[in-house]
Amino acid sequence: MNWRTLAQEVIEGKELSNEEALSILNTNDDEVLSLLDGAYMIRRQYFGKKVKLNMIMNAKSGFCPEDCGYCSQSSKSTAPIDKYPFISKEEILEGAKRAFDNNIGTYCIVASGRGPTRKDVRVVSEAVEEIKEKYGLTVCACLGILKEEQAEQLKAAGVDRYNHNLNTSERHHDFITTSHTYKDRVDTVEIAKKYGISPCSGAIIGMKETKEDVVDITRALRRLNADSIPVNFLHAIDGTKLEGTNELNPRYCLKVLALFRYMNPTKEIRISGGREVNLRSLQPMGMYAANSIFVGDYLTTDGQEDNSDFRMLEDLGFEIELTEKQALIAHS
């Protein structure tokens, strides 16, 4: 396969066939650099050398009734994690200030649970109104399965984006969780879109899925027209259903990131949870396919030091995308 030729066809509007998509995942390790060269052609076409930084605020930890096999906050998990109810508006604002001060443009407010309560939505809405006024950050909410009136309220408050990951293919979904359906997840993304909130939805790779499942999830996200696609690599946690699962290596992770770029050329592809333990020393190479990363810690697992990420991006010659207010301070 000539990857640069395929990349040019993708830029011109081609959608990969299943055979072409699988050939990316089955690429010989000796061809990974050529594959990434094509992925970078596409990335450069739509995003240049810019990188979007994202930060997570874990607004509610644990106490989740769902049975997701990858999650330490699941009702089935015995993992020893911090558990606490929904934090205050003031704590959410403190996190937003940290994001702003560190030139992180997207602030993600995440809460465990099947879906938000009326109080949860009110606290988030009040916090978001102040965040937009003070810091001008892009705000992403991730609160679980969403109702229409909740989406309407969040949009009115200024929420820019709503995250609800499909996680895996429809075929593999019931192996991961049985307490909600694949359709529940799709419906939540569609509700966010209906009320003018930018859809964020992605995947977790390494959950005993097949390569065909990986192709299916990339295509499903293309059909869903998700604007932002977080690509997580399973960081198996003791006490969860998937504890001990270790199917990934850094070279395969790079192939997965390339596939997401070839399949969703114009979308924000974000290297997300598990990058540190799965990509390891090859993390910088992933940025030739992706144009976004999380900085700092995740929900119940640690990220790497912020300084390491900033040094990595500087060494790559990439440019951090700032908000208008951050740019004004940087140039003052």
Side-chain angles (χ1 to χ4, degrees):
M1 179 73 72
N2 186 315
W3 300 116
R4 289 183 66 87
T5 299
L6 183 61
Q8 185 59 45
E9 292 174 350
V10 167
I11 290 170
E12 292 171 0
K14 174 185 176 68
E15 179 177 348
L16 268 60
S17 67
N18 285 344
E19 181 181 6
E20 290 167 327
L22 281 170
S23 72
I24 290 177
L25 297 180
N26 288 321
T27 301
N28 189 288
D29 287 349
D30 293 342
E31 291 188 45
V32 167
L33 285 178
S34 297
L35 176 66
L36 283 177
D37 182 40
Y40 186 53
M41 274 184 62
I42 302 169
R43 180 211 195 284
R44 191 172 59 238
Q45 171 72 23
Y46 296 105
F47 301 99
K49 291 188 174 183
K50 291 189 175 181
V51 177
K52 294 184 178 181
L53 301 185
N54 300 253
M55 174 183 142
I56 287 177
M57 168 57 73
N58 192 1
K60 177 187 175 187
S61 182
F63 307 111
C64 184
E66 304 297 292
D67 66 357
C68 303
Y70 56 84
C71 185
S72 59
Q73 302 181 81
S74 160
S75 61
K76 303 296 184 183
S77 170
T78 60
I81 62 167
D82 290 337
K83 296 182 179 181
Y84 49 84
F86 215 97
I87 63 176
S88 67
K89 180 183 77 171
E90 289 70 27
E91 289 171 295
I92 296 175
L93 290 169
E94 287 171 8
K97 184 179 188 306
R98 289 198 301 276
F100 180 83
D101 291 344
N102 283 288
N103 286 331
I104 297 167
T106 301
Y107 183 54
C108 307
I109 304 170
V110 184
S112 65
R114 182 175 179 83
T117 66
R118 184 177 300 177
K119 181 181 177 182
D120 296 341
V121 173
R122 177 177 57 78
V123 171
V124 170
S125 297
E126 291 175 357
V128 170
E129 288 174 355
E130 290 196 35
I131 290 168
K132 301 300 286 188
E133 181 181 352
K134 289 182 177 179
Y135 306 117
L137 298 173
T138 295
V139 178
C140 178
C142 177
L143 310 175
I145 295 173
L146 202 59
K147 299 174 182 176
E148 293 206 20
E149 60 270 21
Q150 294 171 329
E152 186 175 23
Q153 186 175 347
L154 292 170
K155 174 63 177 179
V159 169
D160 302 283
R161 177 174 290 169
Y162 197 85
N163 168 261
H164 201 60
N165 293 331
L166 298 186
N167 286 330
T168 194
S169 71
E170 184 172 9
R171 175 175 54 247
H172 193 56
H173 180 269
D174 287 351
F175 173 77
I176 303 303
T177 181
T178 59
S179 53
H180 59 267
T181 67
Y182 182 85
K183 184 177 183 297
D184 288 333
R185 289 189 168 271
V186 172
D187 288 348
T188 286
V189 178
E190 293 291 0
I191 285 172
K193 289 164 61 177
K194 177 179 178 179
Y195 286 90
I197 302 175
S198 172
C200 173
S201 189
I204 305 174
I205 306 300
M207 299 193 295
K208 301 186 178 182
E209 73 280 348
T210 65
K211 290 176 180 177
E212 287 78 9
D213 288 319
V214 178
V215 171
D216 284 354
I217 188 67
T218 63
R219 198 177 303 282
L221 291 166
R222 181 185 177 105
R223 297 280 187 267
L224 200 57
N225 202 23
D227 293 329
S228 178
I229 302 176
V231 182
N232 300 274
F233 299 101
L234 181 68
H235 181 177
I237 299 172
D238 289 346
T240 64
K241 176 182 176 179
L242 290 170
E243 70 172 306
T245 304
N246 184 21
E247 300 183 334
L248 304 175
N249 66 61
R251 300 170 305 285
Y252 180 71
C253 293
L254 291 174
K255 296 170 192 177
V256 167
L257 290 169
L259 173 61
F260 273 89
R261 175 54 67 204
Y262 280 83
M263 189 66 85
N264 295 279
T266 66
K267 304 303 186 179
E268 177 183 344
I269 306 295
R270 181 161 62 260
I271 311 179
S272 301
R275 67 179 168 96
E276 298 84 358
V277 298
N278 288 291
L279 280 162
R280 298 194 288 275
S281 62
L282 299 192
Q283 288 182 70
M285 295 178 67
M287 299 309 302
Y288 289 108
N291 65 301
S292 176
I293 58 171
F294 276 116
V295 177
D297 296 336
Y298 302 100
L299 294 175
T300 62
T301 58
D302 296 334
Q304 60 189 20
E305 293 183 3
D306 296 354
N307 288 342
S308 298
D309 289 326
F310 290 120
R311 269 198 308 273
M312 175 180 73
L313 297 175
E314 182 180 359
D315 291 347
L316 286 165
F318 288 162
E319 175 189 351
I320 294 171
E321 191 168 320
L322 304 177
T323 67
E324 289 185 16
K325 291 189 177 184
Q326 287 167 337
L328 285 173
I329 292 174
H331 296 113
S332 62

